Amino acid sequence: MHALATLFILILALPYQSFAGDEICNGGDVIVCPRKTPRLLDLYERDVIYSYGAHPQEAMWSAFKPLHIKDTVAELIEPLKTTAPALHTCLSSYIDNESFWEQIRYLPGHEMHNVKDEVSYVVPVGCEKKQVALQFRTPLHKAPRYLINHDIWTRMNSFQQAGLIVHEILLFNALQSPNWKGNTPAVRQATAFLLSEQPSVLDPAAMTQANKDLNLICQPFIADLK
């Protein structure tokens, strides 16, 4: 009788697990300093750790109020058309598909619990790191894959917003890997690389080697992936 009861419980649990998703999540972070625009952690590390150099359009986009985010991300990855066309096509498969944007929910008036997915990071004196986005590897049924803190989002300039979207796409690809071990610094470095001058100044061969060194992997967007 005990064995039958256990079997019945297991049968009930199976559809629930496929329906409910999981709580394995990571996210995106910004550095918040008094009287300054929030800065994506990836970009801060780009400048103080990797010294990749600024993206050629960064100054212009940073001076504008937020534009249409889809167009901004498309312009940001434009240099990849020449230096890494396969990567450009893959990233475009996300931003060109409305199903990707439908997976994002902006939450006003909410703080996000900090996801302890960073191995290490640095923060300027007098500033703090804030969680601006959460990404669920397997979303709950009919729930969004991405949650973004709307209050911080609206304080970010166009370049910061576009950078966060690129970060989430790269993180999504990393989370799908069976070898994922929570190595978010590697995702931040890959994002920092794409948000720098490097895709504009390197030739295709150098870009191929850089992508390999960074383990920069992108699989095309699948609309019904759960």
Side-chain angles (χ1 to χ4, degrees), residues 6-27:
T6 301
L7 178 61
F8 180 68
I9 291 172
L10 287 173
I11 291 173
L12 287 177
L14 286 174
Y16 175 79
Q17 290 174 348
S18 64
F19 173 84
D22 61 39
E23 279 198 36
I24 298 175
C25 67
N26 297 81

Side-chain angles (χ1 to χ4, degrees), residues 193-212:
F193 178 81
L194 294 184
L195 303 184
S196 74
E197 66 175 357
Q198 297 301 304
S200 299
V201 300
L202 296 181
D203 60 37
M207 275 292 295
T208 298
Q209 185 59 51
N211 290 343
K212 182 178 179 181

